[in-house]
Amino acid sequence: MSTILVVDDDQTVREVVTTYLTRAGLDVVEADDGPAALAAAADHEPALVVLDLTLPGLDGLEVFRRLRAARGDLPVVMLTARGDESDRVLGLEIGADDYVTKPFSSRELVLRIQSILRRAAADHATPEAGPLVDGDLRVDRRRHEAWLGDEPLPLTSREFDLLAHFLSHPGQAFSRQELMRQVWGWEYGDESTVTVHVRRLREKVEADPGHPVRLQTVWGVGYRWDGAS
């Protein structure tokens, strides 16, 4: 049974989320502030964290950074009352797997969590054989490692999945909706999630992210991997 760490200083929110996740067959551990969240993550090694941004003791962003520093592939869904575009994008910019704004549908939250867990399980259970190579860029799916030249690429789990998907389909244009479905495993969701992850990926694999060579924008469609020139 997968363990989910739910971090929120609002007891009612924790109870509601815990109830729905438990009904879905998931084990839940709760924390009400930042230090408690870090301690619980160390003790229970959760499969995913639901993390509120506004926490006492240590804010959610700092908790997120420390969680990812300790375990880079830990999926995190950010949960917050903040509805501003800048806050949502910030969560995605620093590498969160998803972002849900309060008030939220508990059923939708559970579906998103299940989707992330299924994707993670599939990636670990059936890694595709053989590395993916494009010029000086190399992706090893079995080891879940990526290299640019002699330097390892510090990719989040979702950035790695996105890069591997593009390298597996060179020259093929994908809409954001297709990428959302094929990489994220979501039938619906905020497509700006894809936009932010593409931008972050360009910053890591392009010599000049403002004038990308490998990961091209196809206007009116989405994105296409053209490879190194």
Side-chain angles (χ1 to χ4, degrees):
M1 181 184 295
S2 296
T3 298
I4 308 300
L5 173 58
V6 176
V7 186
D8 198 300
D9 61 333
D10 188 323
Q11 182 177 352
T12 300
V13 171
R14 295 199 311 275
E15 289 176 351
V16 169
V17 173
T18 296
T19 297
Y20 275 84
L21 291 175
T22 302
R23 288 176 181 173
L26 297 166
D27 188 24
V28 180
V29 175
E30 299 181 24
D32 59 4
D33 62 23
L38 296 174
D43 290 341
H44 298 279
E45 298 186 354
L48 181 145
V49 178
V50 178
L51 177 64
D52 186 31
L53 279 183
T54 54
L55 294 172
L58 199 65
D59 69 58
L61 292 178
E62 182 58 28
V63 172
F64 175 87
R65 293 187 181 98
R66 296 190 188 188
L67 287 173
R68 279 289 174 81
R71 190 174 137 201
D73 63 347
L74 177 62
V76 176
V77 175
M78 288 192 169
L79 185 65
T80 179
R82 300 176 181 177
D84 292 343
E85 175 81 5
S86 58
D87 291 316
R88 179 178 53 74
V89 171
L90 176 61
L92 298 174
E93 284 280 7
I94 64 174
D97 293 86
D98 199 2
Y99 188 105
V100 179
T101 303
K102 301 175 186 176
F104 58 90
S105 162
S106 297
R107 174 173 169 75
E108 178 183 349
L109 176 61
V110 171
L111 289 173
R112 292 194 179 198
I113 289 172
Q114 289 175 327
S115 174
I116 293 171
L117 292 176
R118 282 196 301 271
R119 181 76 184 184
D123 289 345
H124 286 88
T126 56
E128 298 182 43
L132 298 166
V133 179
D134 176 48
D136 60 349
L137 178 62
R138 185 176 185 273
V139 172
D140 188 328
R141 288 169 290 184
R142 287 191 179 277
R143 296 175 60 86
H144 209 271
E145 294 177 345
W147 296 75
L148 185 61
D150 295 328
E151 297 296 323
L153 282 176
L155 301 176
T156 66
S157 179
R158 193 65 71 187
E159 290 167 357
F160 184 92
D161 290 343
L162 184 61
L163 177 58
H165 182 80
F166 277 126
L167 285 175
S168 298
H169 303 87
Q172 182 175 343
F174 294 95
S175 68
R176 291 191 298 175
Q177 185 178 32
E178 288 173 327
L179 291 170
M180 183 78 71
R181 183 169 56 251
Q182 296 174 24
V183 178
W184 275 255
W186 303 344
E187 289 300 325
Y188 61 91
D190 187 347
E191 293 181 6
S192 66
T193 299
V194 177
T195 305
V196 172
H197 279 77
V198 166
R199 182 167 68 245
R200 286 174 52 83
L201 190 56
R202 280 176 171 156
E203 291 171 353
K204 297 178 180 181
V205 303
E206 298 281 4
D208 181 359
H211 299 85
V213 173
R214 286 176 154 125
L215 183 46
Q216 298 285 353
T217 296
V218 182
W219 298 107
V221 179
Y223 304 102
R224 182 186 66 236
W225 186 269
D226 282 350
S229 58

